[in-house]
Amino acid sequence: MIGVLCALYILVIVAAGVAAWGTIQRDRSEDWAVMLGTAIALGLGAVGTALMFASLLGIAVSRVTIGAIALIAVLAIAWWWGRARIDWPKLQPPGNGLLGWPWLLPVAGIVFGGVYWCATAWGLPLWEWDAFVIWGLKAKVVYHEPLVPRPDYFTDKSLSFSHLNYPLLTPFLTVGAWKMVGAVHEQAGRAHLPLYYVSMMLLTFALARGALGTLAGASLGLVVAACPVMLLYGGVGGADVPLTAFHLAGAFWTWRWLQSGTARDAILAGIFAGFCALTKQEGLAIAFVQSVVFGAFAVMSIRTRWKSAMLAILIALAISLPWLVYRAGIPDTAVPYASRLNVSTIVDNIGRLKPILLAMGGQLIAFDIFGAFWLVWILAVLAGFHGFARKENLGLWVLFLGQVGVKILAYVITTWDIEDHLQNSVSRVMMHTMGAAILLTVAHSSALADRVRAFQHARATRFGGGSLQ
Amino acid sequence: MPDDSSEQSVVPPSPLPPSAGERADSVQWIVASVFLLAGVISAAYSIGQPMLREIFSEAATGKPVKRAVGWSGLDREWGKHGKDENLGLRFVGFDARNPSHRNASQEVYFRGTYFLWPRRLYTARSDYVINSATELIAARQYPDGDWFLERGVTKVVTFVLLENGQVQIFLDVHQKPGGGGR
């Protein structure tokens, strides 16, 4: 019975995502993998946010709340379905003859990665430290009482170890599952986690396939899926993987907006920036950096983009603002970044830069943590350095480096022992940046391919054309 | 919903003729091969990692993961004492300078708080900040019996670290307001 109820909850999440997608995109034609990958991420964020907003209004999460979300989703899908335009996959394998089969190999690896996520999410109790100290405890708090009136938990400083003011999107998704099954159930609370994996795989696949073909799409998906850090944290129940997934979706639609300038791309980018802000503290920084990218590109092409850029920023703000207001009343006692963000603290701790940079740089070659992911990234950037000439790729670099910069700053001003802090968090912090890094890998690889194509074309024109004359 | 009809796409159309596009397949093939090789190596490396293998096999067979075994012992202890009520918590003999003492005390308090919620595990007043085991042990600002009773706490669990390194657990039961003692 628990399995059936969890499956129903997953269906509600996917339906909410498809409904949100249909409402935003309406009759716009889109690739199936982009649609599904985005819709799943939208569903996860939308259900978590909706349950949280209801709780902020004093409405406790219940089956009725979840049923209301499901009803709205079904109505929206019914409205959209008649006008939906999706490019579904063709059934024949891509490529010619035998050359078409290798894509099955990475796809098999990705499927196995999915099995690993499902097994660790559904088969084990909550064992990882942050998963129960921070996220599991918060889920229990909001399972028993709504956010208004404010539960004592949020002002009890003897519980500061659980980071009282961390955002609540992922705990509310857990609570949704618990309410569906009618009890606190550690495995049921993680039933939805494999959806993050599906979303990330579909978006990575769609991205790389669009630029470089099916085999490249599936293979880059495998590079991401096989990251040991992803496999380790995917099913544990923390907020690191959800943040990585929302950031990937946000970076994807930011990149699309940088290319197209359309309002619909901006809306999706803004929504995912808001979800990032509601997922982890680091997500606030991601939302900020993404807004800076939107602002900068709006200024650069003020006539065509300012409206859509403002729309994205306002949407991100609208999603995160209710939480930011609520959070203002919670004591900031665990890591008071805001009060330590000043010149004297930075100057006093500037000596930390060396260990921070060494630790972050070390992750790029840490095979036991990221597999070959960062090596592929480095190779793509070096081989496709012509990609720096493209304006939209510069936007991605701002997104990536801005995030890294904010994290370096956070390490510089933290009150924790820097060696301990780095040891405990640097692999997860680098994982958060993978969203923009995946896009950069595709963007630079694509630039390399275009460069070679242009070279081949020029050579063909020069020699082939000459002989015709 | 904004209308996209007035917005212009800035994506340039591909300038390449079909013949160049066909040749480009070889470039795609090379890039894809590099990705595939990296993916296969990463997958092989992940499969070879003992920790990931161990977690997977324990998840698939339903056995608790090694790291969770310690939690199940603590959980049983909390379940035994705090089934239906709030509990108090004290540490005796723990030294904040000793890393193993710090680990043990924070595991007891942090895990216990999670396991028991919505029942509470009180060890300090709500205005006392506990971020780490150092604060947990070093402060020693344990509330008295009256404070506990005001919060519905009649049982206080005390973890005592003996000289031989063993930990003994004692249960104090408060019989009357202001009372206490083992």
Side-chain angles (χ1 to χ4, degrees):
Chain A
M1 192 59 189
I2 286 177
V4 174
L5 291 168
C6 287
L8 262 178
Y9 184 57
I10 288 172
L11 266 178
V12 172
I13 290 172
V14 175
V18 173
W21 169 271
T23 308
I24 296 164
Q25 297 288 42
R26 291 180 291 173
D27 56 352
R28 190 189 200 189
S29 176
E30 190 56 85
D31 174 71
W32 67 274
V34 173
M35 190 281 269
L36 274 181
T38 306
I40 290 170
L42 272 176
L44 287 159
V47 171
T49 305
L51 295 178
M52 183 177 162
F53 282 8
S55 191
L56 281 169
L57 294 172
I59 303 166
V61 180
S62 67
R63 284 182 182 171
V64 175
T65 331
I66 297 164
I69 292 172
L71 182 67
I72 294 168
V74 167
L75 291 175
I77 290 171
W79 170 82
W80 168 68
W81 199 250
R83 66 194 79 195
R85 288 173 61 198
I86 304 160
D87 299 334
W88 292 106
K90 295 172 181 64
L91 289 176
Q92 71 269 24
N96 300 318
L98 285 176
L99 290 179
W101 71 265
W103 64 274
L104 285 172
L105 179 65
V107 167
I110 290 170
V111 169
F112 182 74
V115 171
Y116 191 97
W117 273 56
C118 293
T120 53
W122 302 344
L124 291 172
L126 213 53
W127 59 272
E128 198 262 342
W129 187 254
D130 279 7
F132 64 79
V133 168
I134 298 173
W135 307 107
L137 179 58
K138 285 187 193 318
K140 279 192 162 186
V141 171
V142 291
Y143 176 80
H144 290 284
E145 20 183 358
L147 289 171
V148 175
R150 194 189 297 270
D152 292 342
Y153 164 82
F154 290 104
T155 48
D156 190 334
K157 294 175 186 170
S158 71
L159 302 171
S160 175
F161 63 85
S162 65
H163 299 262
L164 303 174
N165 63 354
Y166 270 19
L168 295 170
L169 190 151
T170 49
F172 270 103
L173 275 167
T174 303
V175 170
W178 287 349
K179 290 292 181 183
M180 282 294 282
V181 302
V184 172
H185 189 288
E186 291 183 345
Q187 284 90 336
R190 290 177 289 156
H192 63 280
L193 292 183
L195 290 177
Y196 290 109
Y197 180 78
V198 177
S199 168
M200 283 193 287
M201 287 302 107
L202 285 169
L203 286 177
T204 304
F205 169 73
L207 248 176
R209 188 192 54 174
L212 300 157
T214 302
L215 179 61
S219 300
L220 188 61
L222 179 61
V223 175
V224 176
C227 270
V229 71
M230 280 280 186
L231 292 170
L232 179 62
Y233 286 106
V236 297
D240 295 292
V241 168
L243 179 65
T244 308
F246 288 137
H247 172 48
L248 171 61
F252 179 93
W253 288 101
T254 301
W255 199 43
R256 289 278 288 254
W257 177 80
L258 290 171
Q259 293 170 313
S260 71
T262 62
R264 293 178 194 187
D265 294 344
I267 290 169
L268 285 167
I271 288 173
F272 285 116
F275 291 164
C276 284
L278 294 184
T279 302
K280 276 205 89 177
Q281 293 281 77
E282 291 92 332
L284 272 172
I286 290 174
F288 172 74
V289 174
Q290 200 171 306
S291 299
V292 168
V293 171
F294 269 87
F297 273 74
V299 170
M300 280 196 279
S301 43
I302 194 99
R303 286 176 59 192
T304 53
R305 289 177 189 252
W306 76 270
K307 274 186 191 169
S308 56
M310 287 304 110
L311 194 60
I313 294 169
L314 286 175
I315 286 172
L317 200 62
I319 290 173
S320 47
L321 200 60
W323 166 247
L324 293 176
V325 171
Y326 187 84
R327 180 181 182 268
I330 301 173
D332 188 13
T333 47
V335 190
Y337 287 114
S339 61
R340 289 177 63 80
L341 189 57
N342 54 63
V343 175
S344 71
T345 308
I346 294 170
V347 170
D348 288 348
N349 295 327
I350 205 72
R352 290 178 175 181
L353 265 182
K354 189 180 170 188
I356 293 167
L357 292 175
L358 282 175
M360 291 178 94
Q363 296 298 301
L364 302 183
I365 51 169
F367 229 80
D368 57 331
I369 298 171
F370 285 98
F373 176 79
W374 291 110
L375 296 181
V376 167
W377 175 77
I378 291 169
L379 195 63
V381 171
L382 291 178
F385 66 93
H386 298 98
F388 282 108
R390 295 180 181 174
K391 204 165 68 172
E392 66 268 22
N393 293 355
L394 290 182
L396 279 183
W397 275 103
V398 173
L399 200 56
F400 177 77
L401 292 176
Q403 234 191 100
V404 172
V406 169
K407 278 156 186 172
I408 290 173
L409 187 62
Y411 278 131
V412 167
I413 64 174
T414 185
T415 49
W416 297 92
D417 176 84
I418 188 63
E419 295 296 339
D420 282 353
H421 200 178
L422 284 168
Q423 194 182 352
N424 292 331
S425 65
V426 74
S427 60
R428 285 177 291 152
V429 158
M430 288 303 287
M431 182 170 70
H432 302 160
T433 66
M434 281 177 69
I438 290 168
L439 276 117
L440 284 170
T441 303
V442 173
H444 283 276
S445 301
S446 173
L448 169 69
D450 286 351
R451 185 77 178 177
V452 174
R453 283 173 195 160
F455 176 74
Q456 287 176 334
H457 177 53
R459 203 174 58 173
T461 310
R462 192 173 161 192
F463 295 109
S467 64
L468 283 173
Q469 287 169 1
Chain B
M1 191 56 54
D3 191 348
D4 282 342
S5 58
S6 62
E7 293 167 342
Q8 293 179 332
S9 170
V10 294
V11 185
S14 173
L16 305 176
S19 58
E22 283 163 24
R23 287 173 189 229
D25 285 347
S26 63
V27 187
Q28 290 184 353
W29 185 259
I30 291 167
V31 174
S33 301
V34 172
F35 286 173
L36 181 60
L37 184 66
V40 169
I41 292 172
S42 298
Y45 202 87
S46 288
I47 291 168
Q49 284 219 35
M51 185 179 168
L52 292 175
R53 276 212 317 268
E54 179 186 293
I55 292 171
F56 182 70
S57 68
E58 291 179 357
T61 56
K63 286 191 297 184
V65 75
K66 269 185 188 172
R67 291 155 196 79
V69 171
W71 307 140
S72 60
L74 273 174
D75 293 349
R76 270 196 303 276
E77 198 64 40
W78 293 125
K80 197 166 66 183
H81 300 306
K83 202 174 174 185
D84 301 308
E85 57 188 318
N86 297 335
L87 292 177
L89 172 68
R90 294 176 198 269
F91 294 101
V92 175
F94 286 73
D95 184 347
R97 291 164 300 182
N98 185 321
S100 59
H101 293 194
R102 290 203 300 269
N103 285 341
S105 61
Q106 71 181 10
E107 284 174 8
V108 164
Y109 179 48
F110 295 1
R111 179 71 188 188
T113 299
Y114 162 74
F115 180 80
L116 288 170
W117 201 276
R119 301 175 306 283
R120 291 293 310 272
L121 183 60
Y122 291 107
T123 194
R125 296 175 192 283
S126 60
D127 56 354
Y128 180 73
V129 176
I130 297 177
N131 281 320
S132 66
T134 307
E135 288 153 334
L136 178 62
I137 298 170
R140 301 191 186 285
Q141 293 194 356
Y142 305 120
D144 57 25
D146 287 343
W147 190 90
F148 279 138
L149 282 169
E150 283 166 19
R151 282 149 187 82
V153 177
T154 57
K155 291 178 183 172
V156 178
V157 181
T158 305
F159 284 75
V160 180
L161 188 69
L162 304 176
E163 284 181 2
N164 63 8
Q166 296 284 312
V167 174
Q168 280 197 353
I169 303 169
F170 295 95
L171 185 68
D172 298 345
V173 180
H174 295 266
Q175 300 293 348
K176 58 184 181 188
R182 197 168 303 150

